[in-house]
Amino acid sequence: MSLWHSLVKLFTISPQSAPVLAKPETTRLTQAVADSTPARKSEVSPAIAALPFGASVTQRPLVDTQLQVAGFEFRLNEKIVARLHDTRNNPARISYYSALLTAARLNAQQGRISLVGLPADLLEREFITDRIDPGLWLIIYSSHEPSELACTALHRLREHRVLVGWQADCLEQFMNPHLPMDFVAFKHEKGNLPDLINCRQLWHKRYPKLIGLATDLSNIEQIETAVQGVFELATGAFVAAPSNQDYIRPLTPAAGRLCQILNAIMNGAEHAEIVEQLKLDLKISYQLLCHINSASVGLKYPVDSLNDALYLLGRNQFYQWLSMMLARSATARPASRALQEISLGRARFLEGLAQATGAASPELLFSLGIFSLLHLLLNTSVDQALQPLRLSPNLSAALYGIGPWAIYLQLVIAWEHNDGELVAKLTEQVGLTPEKVADLAAMSIIWARQAMDSAK
């Protein structure tokens, strides 16, 4: 019996022994998503590349109470918003928000929450309301009570499965029980998280059916606390809390084994030596054979030996696959699954940038994306996360902001942080157009979702 068939037999669960999962209880959030989600299309064009203002739109992951990525918040760059604030009749303002809605629509077609902020006065324009598709979640911004025309537009949109929300601080100024409302957004300013939680609890007592959304949280710990407490959704910066940046946590055995094989490749180990190391871990061996025989690899004939699998993949692609497995093995914190998807998206984004610019070894830039978030995945400090890995000089240098690959990581992080000026500067330096970068970012998010779904 081949190794492949032995491993399949070992890891296949019979129907009699398979665990029975309880059906999750329907919540306000799950019901709202079900009611608002449009029928999922089989293909989604990236299309952001065709938008004249596509590079001004960035996405922030929304984490739900299951501590997974439920969707994305779509934002314009803050400096652009400030510049357009007092120009109600400026055609550029309409174009920017139209691009924002188009980007969000593409995500909604994937069956995910798409959260967009709109000034209330734009609801008076049919050009904008015609671009608000079923399934979108709208946060309405207004310093005064919206006009009758805007409220009429909101009521009409809700009839077409658009969810409407308001910033809590805006509602306090003009509380109107007749305003259409499905959720309330609580923006985290410079105050502490307990204040935001108290505010949410007060609102919940008054309006228990409204969904609570926390935005602009400072770090991953705050995001986890929010959705494990009184909020149904949360978004913010996916960085470590300052108090946890020196925290030391030992590697799990699975992560340790993956690091050993990664190091063997980086140290130039012989093919036979890597195969022997693989044989010491049946689970990794099984996962590798599943991968090499999957439709995504597209081989004509089945492969049932580790030796052949390594030859067919090649060292760089095998290194890339192992780094992906390292991300998936990280379960050291509540939001591990959300972080796994985010790290895969960043990795794919980096790989796409490398391919678009002709950089050498794009597979290793994929690994760079994984390693740049490894400390969050493992819930430890940066140095502690990287210490078990013997990285190549370019990989190691890029993680500390130097070397030829650093510019790619800086570009991706600037994109994630919505730093428009830095994105424009770095995009020009790597020789790409802003529309191309926006296209790569959008496609990386779609790919990461598909990769997580395929791993279930």
Side-chain angles (χ1 to χ4, degrees):
M1 182 181 292
S2 67
L3 175 62
W4 164 248
H5 292 100
S6 299
L7 290 171
V8 168
K9 184 176 180 181
L10 177 63
F11 284 94
T12 299
I13 300 176
S14 67
Q16 291 78 14
S17 62
V20 178
L21 300 180
K23 185 177 180 180
E25 181 183 354
T26 301
T27 64
R28 292 189 302 274
L29 178 59
T30 55
Q31 187 61 51
V33 172
D35 292 342
S36 66
T37 300
R40 185 168 177 174
K41 298 186 178 180
S42 58
E43 291 186 9
V44 176
S45 167
I48 292 179
L51 299 174
F53 304 97
S56 302
V57 177
T58 55
Q59 299 172 238
R60 276 189 171 180
L62 282 166
V63 178
D64 62 16
T65 54
Q66 301 299 311
L67 293 154
Q68 300 183 29
V69 176
F72 292 87
E73 177 192 16
F74 291 79
R75 286 191 173 191
L76 292 175
N77 178 269
E78 291 182 359
K79 292 184 178 180
I80 292 175
V81 173
R83 191 166 68 241
L84 298 174
H85 180 67
D86 295 321
T87 55
R88 287 173 58 105
N89 297 317
N90 187 343
R93 182 171 183 251
I94 305 298
S95 297
Y96 274 114
Y97 280 102
S98 177
L100 183 69
L101 289 168
T102 300
R105 181 168 65 245
L106 296 174
N107 180 71
Q109 289 171 355
Q110 291 290 296
R112 313 196 83 173
I113 295 174
S114 294
L115 180 70
V116 179
L118 280 181
D121 66 276
L122 288 180
L123 296 166
E124 302 171 9
R125 297 177 176 268
E126 287 189 13
F127 184 84
I128 290 294
T129 56
D130 287 347
R131 282 158 177 74
I132 302 174
D133 282 4
L136 294 188
W137 292 42
L138 299 180
I139 301 181
I140 308 304
Y141 301 114
S142 181
S143 57
H144 54 275
E145 188 165 342
S147 67
E148 183 178 347
L149 183 60
C151 287
T152 301
L154 285 176
H155 283 292
R156 186 174 67 251
L157 289 169
R158 287 185 81 207
E159 292 174 358
H160 291 84
R161 295 183 293 134
V162 173
L163 269 68
V164 175
W166 303 81
Q167 286 281 7
D169 54 353
C170 293
L171 284 175
E172 290 172 355
Q173 299 178 38
F174 52 85
M175 192 61 214
N176 181 342
H178 302 294
L179 284 175
M181 196 183 319
D182 300 291
F183 64 94
V184 181
F186 300 82
K187 185 176 180 180
H188 182 247
E189 303 284 1
K190 293 184 179 180
N192 56 28
L193 185 58
D195 291 341
L196 202 69
I197 291 173
N198 290 337
C199 184
R200 164 60 179 151
Q201 289 172 331
L202 290 173
W203 273 90
H204 181 67
K205 290 178 180 178
R206 294 169 61 187
Y207 306 99
K209 294 184 179 181
L210 293 181
I211 295 168
L213 166 65
T215 69
D216 298 89
L217 297 174
S218 302
N219 52 64
I220 182 62
E221 284 79 6
Q222 288 190 350
I223 293 173
E224 290 173 333
T225 300
V227 293
Q228 287 179 302
V230 296
F231 291 96
E232 281 79 19
L233 290 165
T235 185
F238 283 81
V239 299
S243 60
N244 288 353
Q245 291 180 0
D246 296 323
Y247 181 67
I248 296 176
R249 178 187 292 272
L251 287 178
T252 63
R257 173 62 66 184
L258 288 164
C259 287
Q260 289 176 5
I261 304 174
L262 285 164
N263 291 339
I265 297 171
M266 196 54 66
N267 291 338
E270 295 292 332
H271 183 92
E273 182 183 340
I274 296 173
V275 171
E276 289 304 312
Q277 287 210 29
L278 273 174
K279 289 179 179 178
L280 296 175
D281 194 306
L282 292 178
K283 187 173 182 179
I284 297 175
S285 299
Y286 170 73
Q287 291 171 329
L288 175 60
L289 290 172
C290 286
H291 172 67
I292 198 68
N293 286 287
S294 67
S296 62
V297 176
L299 298 179
K300 292 183 178 179
Y301 304 102
V303 176
D304 61 4
S305 84
L306 295 173
N307 188 61
D308 292 345
L310 286 183
Y311 271 124
L312 288 167
L313 274 182
R315 296 177 78 92
N316 279 357
Q317 286 196 11
F318 182 49
Y319 192 90
Q320 174 185 0
W321 180 82
L322 285 172
S323 62
M324 189 186 301
M325 292 300 102
L326 182 59
R328 287 177 175 167
S329 72
T331 56
R333 64 182 318 134
S336 290
R337 189 160 178 82
L339 283 169
Q340 288 168 14
E341 182 172 339
I342 293 165
S343 66
L344 290 175
R346 179 184 283 193
R348 185 69 166 187
F349 194 0
L350 279 165
E351 182 184 33
L353 289 171
Q355 292 170 339
T357 57
S361 305
E363 300 92 345
L364 294 183
L365 270 89
F366 181 97
S367 299
L368 173 62
I370 299 293
F371 297 151
S372 66
L373 289 170
L374 195 58
H375 62 294
L376 293 182
L377 285 160
L378 299 177
N379 199 11
T380 187
S381 66
V382 174
D383 291 340
Q384 181 72 11
L386 299 178
Q387 185 270 331
L389 293 166
R390 296 182 180 88
L391 302 177
S392 70
N394 283 344
L395 270 176
S396 181
L399 289 166
Y400 290 97
I402 56 177
W405 291 349
I407 189 171
Y408 295 102
L409 183 57
Q410 291 165 1
L411 173 54
V412 169
I413 293 174
W415 179 273
E416 293 171 350
H417 291 179
N418 206 8
D419 189 338
E421 291 183 1
L422 185 56
V423 167
K425 176 183 176 182
L426 296 174
T427 297
E428 184 178 358
Q429 289 180 12
V430 300
L432 297 176
T433 64
E435 290 74 26
K436 179 62 177 178
V437 174
D439 185 25
L440 292 171
M443 294 308 296
S444 69
I445 289 171
I446 294 173
W447 180 88
R449 164 71 179 272
Q450 293 170 344
M452 292 297 292
D453 286 347
S454 66
K456 289 181 179 178

